[in-house]
Amino acid sequence: MRVLVVTAVPVERDAVTRAYGDEPAVHPLRGAEIHRAGPLDVLAGGVGPAASAASTAFALAADRYDLVISAGIGGGFAPVAPVGSLAVSRRVVAADLGAETSAGFVPVTELGFGRAAHLPPRSLVRAAAEATGAAAGDILTVSTVTGTADRTAALLAAHPQAVAEAMEGFGVAEAADLAGVPVLELRAVSNTVGPRDRDAWRIGDALTALTEAFGKLIPVLEGWTRHDRDDTAG
């Protein structure tokens, strides 16, 4: 099984490849590098949904993969995903794709076009959560990181199953879907979603948790069958 893992930045990429132990082989990709560690091809694809979609699409056009994983650190919604814990996606959700109206935010689907969520394979979500201890739920993709209590409350009101937020998952999922490849999102929690307090962030702890998560996830990926790959989440 071959897996493309897309992170935002190199420090997240390196945290993933460390899970395999050996020094990764580096393969040039136009404008980037693929770091190959066992069954994982890991790409630091850039920050935000646009960069992540473009880099994922480019990598998928250059090679064949059985699965794409959007991975890295992110914010966790308290109390379900505390700092240092893990979150895995039952749904990959574009939380701010839509329109602001006098009645509040309207998602793109209610405007009559587009989509706002991708559904990873149920069996893989279950297996990943069991292997890593991750909280399973909606992982929200945002273009602006949440920094106020009001915004946090609005997100949870709209997405009561949310466990984490990050900036790349939906872009990765869009590219994977166009290529006909299933997707999963896995986040290690570096901070609590809410009022912005950089002093409370634990980026090093989250990166360590990310490495440990992939160490536990690799056997799951190797055992995931072709039949399972058709099992989309609901």
Side-chain angles (χ1 to χ4, degrees), residues 101-119:
T101 73
S102 59
F105 179 76
V106 178
V108 68
T109 48
E110 292 184 22
L111 296 174
F113 55 90
R115 60 184 160 191
H118 288 275
L119 307 178

Side-chain angles (χ1 to χ4, degrees), residues 190-216:
S190 59
N191 59 283
T192 299
V193 177
R196 191 170 175 81
D197 179 9
R198 284 299 298 268
D199 291 339
W201 289 22
R202 297 292 181 264
I203 292 176
D205 292 344
L207 292 171
T208 297
L210 188 64
T211 300
E212 293 173 352
F214 269 88
K216 297 171 182 176

Side-chain angles (χ1 to χ4, degrees), residues 60-231:
L60 289 170
D63 213 334
R64 294 177 62 86
Y65 294 97
D66 300 297
L67 176 70
V68 179
I69 301 177
S70 176
I73 64 175
F77 287 95
V80 66
V83 173
S85 69
L86 299 164
V88 66
S89 56
R90 284 200 182 105
R91 298 196 309 157
V92 180
V93 179
D96 54 12
L97 183 62
E100 287 290 347
T101 73
S102 59
F105 179 76
V106 178
V108 68
T109 48
E110 292 184 22
L111 296 174
F113 55 90
R115 60 184 160 191
H118 288 275
L119 307 178
R122 280 192 302 261
S123 58
L124 184 56
V125 174
R126 286 194 301 267
E130 290 171 3
T132 65
D138 292 355
I139 298 184
L140 310 184
T141 299
V142 294
S143 295
T144 302
V145 173
T146 300
T148 67
D150 287 346
R151 179 59 177 158
T152 303
L155 286 174
L156 286 173
H159 308 284
Q161 302 303 312
V163 292
E165 73 166 22
M167 301 180 75
E168 293 78 33
F170 191 77
V172 173
E174 285 279 271
D177 184 72
L178 287 173
V181 182
V183 70
L184 184 73
E185 186 168 6
L186 180 68
R187 295 286 163 183
V189 177
S190 59
N191 59 283
T192 299
V193 177
R196 191 170 175 81
D197 179 9
R198 284 299 298 268
D199 291 339
W201 289 22
R202 297 292 181 264
I203 292 176
D205 292 344
L207 292 171
T208 297
L210 188 64
T211 300
E212 293 173 352
F214 269 88
K216 297 171 182 176
L217 191 60
I218 286 170
V220 171
L221 299 176
E222 291 174 340
W224 195 45
T225 68
R226 182 174 298 275
H227 176 267
D228 292 331
R229 295 171 204 173
D230 296 326
D231 179 23

